[in-house]
């Protein structure tokens, strides 16, 4: 549900959105989930200690003092779970005949004739359908123009998404009857932005919304249920999870920016050289300047190379070729090594958000 803010009362929201979509904007007020100093501004939440299967034993949950019902989950999933999720959003969900963005869905008849996946089929102009993919709905399908779910158009919610959401929520211990049945998978490219909106069209709004981020980092702005309130900024990294519940369930939120690097240095604790020690900045702008700090010697290196197509840390993020080889063979006839190279290029320019929710009442 995308609602553009209009009128004078939303000046604070508009100013924030315009400011943060600028690549040179000041990020010092943004909370980076990977930064210990940033999370000191949050309130930790005690967890229910249960037998972990999909979640990470090092999972941490925080809330923001003035956003009741908003939970920020760090290290929420095990590394194996994250790899399975990457394989699902890149290989399983786009290949299945789920409802997806019109640019892909309108060509499904052609795909059926040629038996090609969205990774193989091309438009008349030579663009692969996967590069035009922006969203997929699973479970109850959402009609974007009417802004409503279709009760008689429903597929099964993948077990992986159901189990991740239920286990994350159960460890917080506040939502005992949460039974997710729907998910919306958004594929954000680096130039994409999502305007301020509310997720308020589920039939049972008492249930939480579990939003999982994987891939490139993204900047989330979140306010409250009125557009006149200035939003707070959260820099969400791959594997981070946001839970919106209670009064935060209908909060206005937006994504003004997707970063062009797997890791974003936190401006709140940079070194004198301007780059956090031991981290790597992959330039958002020109793409030719790459700065390195060596942990051992403290030396600083600047490489003036042309931007490569693959983020240098992408394998650490999504998994290695060996993790994908067998499943690649089941979805395409493209040689696995060629396909994996295309996959890393796609992942290097994409942030994926999976929002799992319960549409129907218990």
């Amino acid at each position: 549900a995308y609602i553009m803010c209009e009128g004078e009362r939303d000046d604070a929201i508009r100013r924030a959105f315009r400011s943060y979509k600028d690549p040179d904007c000041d990020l010092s007020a943004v909370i980076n989930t990977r930064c210990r100093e940033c999370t000191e501004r949050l309130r930790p939440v005690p967890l229910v200690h249960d037998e972990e299967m999909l979640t990470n034993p090092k999972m941490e949950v925080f809330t923001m003092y003035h956003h009741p019902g908003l939970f920020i989950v760090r290290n929420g999933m095990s590394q194996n779970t994250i790899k399975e999720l990457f394989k699902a959003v890149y290989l399983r969900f786009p290949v299945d005949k789920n409802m997806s963005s019109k640019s892909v869905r309108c060509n499904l008849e052609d795909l059926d004739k040629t038996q090609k996946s969205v990774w193989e089929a091309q438009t008349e102009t030579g663009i692969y359908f996967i590069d035009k993919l922006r969203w997929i709905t699973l479970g109850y399908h959402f009609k974007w123009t009417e802004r409503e779910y279709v009760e008689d158009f429903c597929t099964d919610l993948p077990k992986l998404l159901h189990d991740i959401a239920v286990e994350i929520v159960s460890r917080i211990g506040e939502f005992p009857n949460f039974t997710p049945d729907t998910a919306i998978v958004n594929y954000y490219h680096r130039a994409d932005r999502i305007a301020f909106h509310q997720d308020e069209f589920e039939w049972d709004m008492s249930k939480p919304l579990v939003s999982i981020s994987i891939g490139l980092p993204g900047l989330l702005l979140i306010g409250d249920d009125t557009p006149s309130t200035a939003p707070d900024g959260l820099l969400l990294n791959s594997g981070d999870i946001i839970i919106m519940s209670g009064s935060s369930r209908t909060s206005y939120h937006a994504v003004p920016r997707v970063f062009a690097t797997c890791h974003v240095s936190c401006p709140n604790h940079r070194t004198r050289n301007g780059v956090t020690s031991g981290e790597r900045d992959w330039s958002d702008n020109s793409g030719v300047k790459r700065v390195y700090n060596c942990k051992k010697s403290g030396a600083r290196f600047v490489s003036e190379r042309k931007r490569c197509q693959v983020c240098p840390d992408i394998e650490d993020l999504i998994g290695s070729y060996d993790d994908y080889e067998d499943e690649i063979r089941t979805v395409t006839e493209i040689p696995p090594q060629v396909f994996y190279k295309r996959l890393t290029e796609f992942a290097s320019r994409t942030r994926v958000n999976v929002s799992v929710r319960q549409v129907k009442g218990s």
Side-chain angles (χ1 to χ4, degrees), residues 101 103-104 107 123 127-135 189:
S101 47
S103 56
V104 174
N107 291 289
T123 65
I127 300 175
Y128 286 103
F129 288 161
I130 189 67
D131 292 319
K132 298 174 71 65
L133 185 65
R134 289 300 183 271
W135 56 262
H189 292 236

Side-chain angles (χ1 to χ4, degrees), residues 178-198:
F178 178 52
T179 309
D181 51 26
T182 298
I184 299 177
V185 184
N186 290 108
Y187 299 80
Y188 299 123
H189 292 236
R190 289 195 296 244
D192 292 342
R193 301 181 181 93
I194 299 297
F196 273 97
H197 65 282
Q198 295 171 291

Side-chain angles (χ1 to χ4, degrees), residues 48-59:
V48 175
H49 294 284
D50 202 352
E51 183 179 353
E52 301 90 3
M53 296 180 65
L54 299 171
T55 54
N56 190 336
K58 297 181 180 179
M59 171 177 163

Side-chain angles (χ1 to χ4, degrees), residues 51-327:
E51 183 179 353
E52 301 90 3
M53 296 180 65
L54 299 171
T55 54
N56 190 336
K58 297 181 180 179
M59 171 177 163
E60 298 174 280
V61 179
F62 305 90
T63 61
M64 302 180 74
Y65 290 96
H66 49 293
H67 289 283
L70 179 71
F71 297 91
I72 303 161
V73 182
R74 181 170 64 185
N75 298 323
M77 297 178 288
S78 68
Q79 196 58 42
N80 286 337
T81 303
I82 292 175
K83 288 180 180 179
E84 284 300 307
L85 188 55
F86 269 115
K87 286 191 283 187
V89 300
Y90 290 145
L91 301 179
R92 300 171 200 160
F93 301 161
V95 173
D96 293 339
K97 298 303 186 287
N98 296 307
M99 181 181 285
S100 60
S101 47
K102 184 177 180 181
S103 56
V104 174
R105 191 173 70 251
C106 66
N107 291 289
L108 285 183
E109 289 186 8
D110 295 333
L111 291 179
D112 289 336
K113 292 175 184 176
T114 60
Q115 297 299 307
K116 290 184 177 180
S117 73
V118 292
W119 286 92
E120 298 170 285
Q122 293 176 285
T123 65
E124 293 180 356
T125 57
I127 300 175
Y128 286 103
F129 288 161
I130 189 67
D131 292 319
K132 298 174 71 65
L133 185 65
R134 289 300 183 271
W135 56 262
I136 292 174
T137 55
L138 308 162
Y140 285 98
H141 295 288
F142 190 74
K143 297 176 70 174
W144 298 93
T145 52
E146 290 83 0
R147 293 179 181 169
E148 64 182 14
Y149 289 95
V150 186
E151 189 166 10
D152 57 354
F153 189 0
C154 181
T155 57
D156 292 333
L157 179 68
K159 185 177 184 299
L160 177 64
L161 298 185
H162 174 278
D163 291 351
I164 291 174
V166 169
E167 191 166 328
I168 291 289
V169 165
S170 66
R171 292 200 63 195
I172 296 176
E174 294 198 10
F175 312 100
N177 298 318
F178 178 52
T179 309
D181 51 26
T182 298
I184 299 177
V185 184
N186 290 108
Y187 299 80
Y188 299 123
H189 292 236
R190 289 195 296 244
D192 292 342
R193 301 181 181 93
I194 299 297
F196 273 97
H197 65 282
Q198 295 171 291
D199 289 287
E200 57 177 356
F201 296 100
E202 288 69 43
W203 302 325
D204 186 352
M205 291 297 295
S206 68
K207 305 302 182 184
L209 184 150
V210 180
S211 177
I212 307 167
S213 296
I214 58 174
L216 296 179
L219 178 58
L220 173 71
L221 298 180
I222 186 161
D224 57 21
D225 58 359
T226 60
S228 58
T229 303
D232 291 303
L234 290 170
L235 199 158
L236 300 179
N237 296 277
S238 185
D240 288 340
I241 299 171
I242 295 292
I243 299 175
M244 299 172 67
S245 67
S247 60
S248 291
R249 180 63 176 80
T250 54
S251 293
Y252 280 92
H253 54 286
V255 180
R257 185 175 171 192
V258 175
F259 293 87
T261 170
C262 296
H263 304 288
V264 180
S265 298
C266 182
N268 296 316
H269 60 281
R270 290 189 169 186
T271 65
R272 268 185 270 173
N273 291 330
V275 178
T276 306
S277 177
E279 293 191 3
R280 176 163 48 189
D281 271 358
W282 203 42
S283 174
D284 258 10
N285 300 319
S286 65
V288 297
K289 183 178 181 182
R290 297 168 71 188
V291 185
Y292 300 84
N293 270 23
C294 178
K295 283 185 177 179
K296 291 184 179 180
S297 65
R300 186 169 185 260
F301 306 93
V302 179
S303 173
E304 297 291 337
R305 297 191 328 197
K306 186 177 180 181
R307 185 204 293 273
C308 60
Q309 289 185 298
V310 177
C311 179
D313 302 314
I314 198 65
E315 285 195 22
D316 295 336
L317 204 63
I318 71 170
S320 67
Y321 168 75
D322 292 339
D323 295 322
Y324 285 81
E325 182 180 6
D326 292 340
E327 190 148 356

